[in-house]
Amino acid sequence: MSQSAISSAIHAVTSALVEHADEFIKFPVSPEHQEQVKGEFWAKFGFPGVLGAIDCTHVQLRAPSENALVYINRKGTHSINIQVVCDAMCRITHVFANYPGSTHDSFILANSAIPAVFQGDPPLDGWLLGDNGYALRTWLMTPFITPETRSELAYNRKHTRTHCVIERAFGLLKMRFRCLDKSGGTLQYTPQKVAAFFVACCVLHNIAILHGCAMDLNEDRLENFRRREAELRVPMPVEPNTPQAAR
């Protein structure tokens, strides 16, 4: 097959998957779905009221032709920073692929649909778990930065163990689709196309889980993945006028 034929096929399949994303990437907004997700988190981790674990992950790409500097992350490479929420079974329930690699996680959250969803009428009955890159909110629980009591230490341990499900979800997603991981090389596409690829891969990831296509991710590989992801954390939020990358 020619390169042009392969390229056309990739974009056609990606577009089709993105068009059907709402059918497979569903945030728990109905009471029944909320109870299901909270029940799974409780059964698996013993943490009550959890509707999802939230975090961001980077996908490396070539330097864009416009606003290239804002795509440079802490490692000095170009990337987009993508917000994801998953449930206790590593199913992706929310994706927001809209910002360049220099953007802080908390800024992405503030400009996503998540705050409005939790603060709607009626508000959702539960909360998300996030790391210390986020500010504490009534619907977003984060660890104590300096725990001082046994209760705070116990909470941090439970929080960390439960929140790790999002790191496992990222690991599984990038193991299934190596183009999303830096070990697979740099994607030679625009930020908009890379964002679409990520959403399409999330759809396929959820379909795989739905049909029982499980993958093992041992702790050594997960720890290596965590270390790589931690290196890309942005320590300070960027200014609110950071250009958007892709949707």
Side-chain angles (χ1 to χ4, degrees):
M1 295 180 66
S2 67
Q3 179 63 43
S4 60
I6 293 174
S7 180
S8 297
I10 289 173
H11 294 301
V13 172
T14 298
S15 297
L17 289 169
V18 172
E19 287 179 6
H20 291 276
D22 289 345
E23 299 174 26
F24 297 97
I25 302 174
K26 299 179 180 180
F27 196 78
V29 293
S30 69
E32 297 78 14
H33 196 182
Q34 290 177 54
E35 290 305 313
Q36 175 194 338
V37 172
K38 288 190 290 186
E40 290 171 347
F41 270 106
W42 174 254
K44 193 167 185 178
F45 301 107
F47 203 118
V50 181
L51 291 175
I54 186 171
D55 209 345
C56 287
T57 188
H58 289 255
V59 176
Q60 192 166 295
L61 73 165
R62 72 181 182 191
S65 57
E66 297 181 2
N67 300 314
L69 289 178
V70 298
Y71 290 87
I72 298 177
N73 56 46
R74 286 189 68 188
K75 294 292 289 183
T77 60
H78 294 84
S79 66
I80 57 174
N81 194 13
I82 303 171
Q83 176 178 282
V84 175
V85 177
C86 78
D87 64 16
M89 311 310 291
C90 292
R91 293 181 294 246
I92 307 300
T93 60
H94 162 84
V95 181
F96 188 46
N98 212 48
Y99 285 94
S102 65
T103 313
H104 194 272
D105 295 0
S106 61
F107 181 87
I108 297 174
L109 173 60
N111 288 275
S112 71
I114 292 296
V117 169
F118 274 92
Q119 297 166 6
D121 186 18
L124 298 190
D125 182 23
W127 41 75
L128 297 178
L129 299 185
D131 61 21
N132 285 323
Y134 299 103
L136 178 67
R137 304 194 185 192
T138 56
W139 47 266
L140 177 60
M141 301 183 72
T142 60
F144 287 97
I145 297 176
T146 54
E148 298 178 352
T149 67
R150 293 178 62 182
S151 296
E152 291 176 353
L153 287 168
Y155 165 81
N156 273 12
R157 284 194 295 269
K158 183 71 73 173
H159 183 288
T160 299
R161 180 171 176 267
T162 309
H163 184 258
C164 276
V165 70
I166 187 65
E167 296 173 353
R168 184 171 292 274
F170 286 148
L172 290 171
L173 183 66
K174 293 187 176 185
M175 282 177 63
R176 290 185 194 276
F177 307 102
R178 298 304 293 270
C179 64
L180 302 180
D181 189 72
K182 68 178 184 179
S183 63
T186 300
L187 285 168
Q188 302 298 308
Y189 296 91
T190 64
Q192 292 79 8
K193 289 181 179 178
V194 173
F197 293 160
F198 190 92
V199 174
C201 289
C202 288
V203 172
L204 293 174
H205 169 82
N206 281 1
I207 291 174
I209 293 177
L210 178 65
H211 290 278
C213 299
M215 290 182 65
D216 290 329
L217 183 62
N218 64 46
E219 291 305 314
D220 288 340
R221 298 187 69 176
L222 182 60
E223 185 57 36
N224 289 335
F225 176 80
R226 288 174 183 159
R227 191 181 306 109
R228 295 202 311 271
E229 290 285 298
E231 291 173 351
L232 293 173
R233 295 292 179 191
V234 181
M236 295 291 292
V238 296
E239 294 299 320
N241 60 354
T242 300
Q244 293 187 1
R247 186 178 179 90

